[in-house]
């Protein structure tokens, strides 16, 4: 049987899938840690990012199957779970900067093997990852400018039970 997709690209798509599945888990834990501290806004923001990553994983699985490859969903990269809000933001920022690099590399490869459909999909995901980097940088700027305590006050919704 002739494979529809380039084998090297399918391997790269599977490694991106591992990145996404790792991010989903890391962000779910971070989002629930923020919830447990009462930082409702941070909880919602990180939860939304976990859901974005879930869509990315789903789209990658769909694409790999379309290319007649086998999606690997059993591999996770090492997690970087933060112990504080600052660590959470900084660890998630590291993840996002890394995936932006990897999506750019994957787009280059997809171009080389003339797979425009994959170029389009990977570019769509890349733009969303850049939005995640932007978000993390915004949080870091706010912490720097208003101080961690003020930043954290702004993440609560008050004493609502
Ligand atoms: Fe993603
Ligand atoms: Fe992301």
């Amino acid at each position: 049987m002739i494979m529809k997709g380039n084998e090297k690209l399918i391997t790269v798509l599977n490694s991106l899938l591992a990145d996404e599945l790792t991010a989903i888990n890391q962000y779910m834990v971070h989002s629930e840690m923020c919830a447990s501290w009462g930082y409702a806004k941070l909880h919602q923001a990180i939860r939304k990012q976990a859901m974005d990553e879930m869509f990315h994983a789903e789209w990658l699985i769909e694409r790999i199957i379309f290319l007649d490859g086998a999606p690997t969903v059993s591999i996770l990269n090492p997690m970087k779970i933060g112990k504080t809000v600052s660590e959470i933001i900084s660890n998630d920022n590291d993840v996002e900067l890394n995936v932006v690099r990897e999506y750019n590399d994957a787009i280059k490869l997809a171009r080389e093997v003339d797979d425009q459909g994959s170029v389009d999909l990977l570019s769509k995901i890349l733009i969303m990852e850049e939005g995640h980097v932007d978000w993390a940088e915004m949080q870091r700027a706010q912490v720097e400018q208003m101080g961690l305590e003020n930043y954290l006050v702004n993440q609560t919704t008050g004493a609502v039970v």
Side-chain angles (χ1 to χ4, degrees):
M1 188 186 125
I2 297 162
M3 224 203 295
K4 226 195 286 179
N6 175 275
E7 213 166 326
K8 200 171 151 200
L9 181 61
I10 289 171
T11 303
V12 168
L13 293 177
N14 263 319
S15 110
L16 291 170
L17 178 56
D19 289 342
E20 296 292 352
L21 296 172
T22 305
I24 292 168
N25 285 280
Q26 181 170 318
Y27 296 177
M28 271 202 298
V29 172
H30 282 166
S31 140
E32 288 308 312
M33 285 169 71
C34 291
S36 79
W37 292 327
Y39 300 131
K41 292 180 196 167
L42 259 182
H43 160 65
Q44 285 305 331
I46 298 174
R47 184 170 187 270
K48 200 223 155 242
Q49 285 192 32
M51 289 182 161
D52 284 349
E53 313 307 4
M54 201 207 76
F55 283 118
H56 300 165
E58 182 186 54
W59 297 339
L60 289 169
I61 290 168
E62 186 185 16
R63 187 73 193 166
I64 291 165
I65 290 173
F66 172 75
L67 295 173
D68 288 337
T72 308
V73 290
S74 50
I75 295 175
L76 293 179
N77 304 328
M79 301 278 151
K80 287 190 281 183
I81 305 296
K83 285 185 289 297
T84 61
V85 167
S86 298
E87 277 181 24
I88 285 173
I89 291 170
S90 139
N91 291 0
D92 291 358
N93 197 4
D94 289 347
V95 168
E96 295 296 336
L97 286 171
N98 185 51
V99 296
V100 162
R101 256 193 312 273
E102 292 191 349
Y103 274 102
N104 273 302
D105 289 347
I107 290 166
K108 216 178 289 166
L109 175 63
R111 269 207 200 98
E112 277 165 24
V113 301
D114 290 324
D115 183 345
Q116 187 59 43
S118 293
V119 171
D120 290 347
L121 173 64
L122 296 169
S123 304
K124 175 172 141 186
I125 299 176
L126 173 65
I127 298 295
M128 292 175 75
E129 305 298 10
E130 286 179 348
H132 294 166
V133 170
D134 208 32
W135 180 85
E137 283 174 355
M138 206 185 293
Q139 311 316 303
R140 288 178 124 174
Q142 287 191 2
V143 168
E144 209 178 290
Q145 288 164 27
M146 55 175 89
L148 182 63
E149 277 97 355
N150 289 324
Y151 171 82
L152 292 178
V153 165
N154 191 41
Q155 298 307 321
T156 70
T157 46
V160 181
V161 179

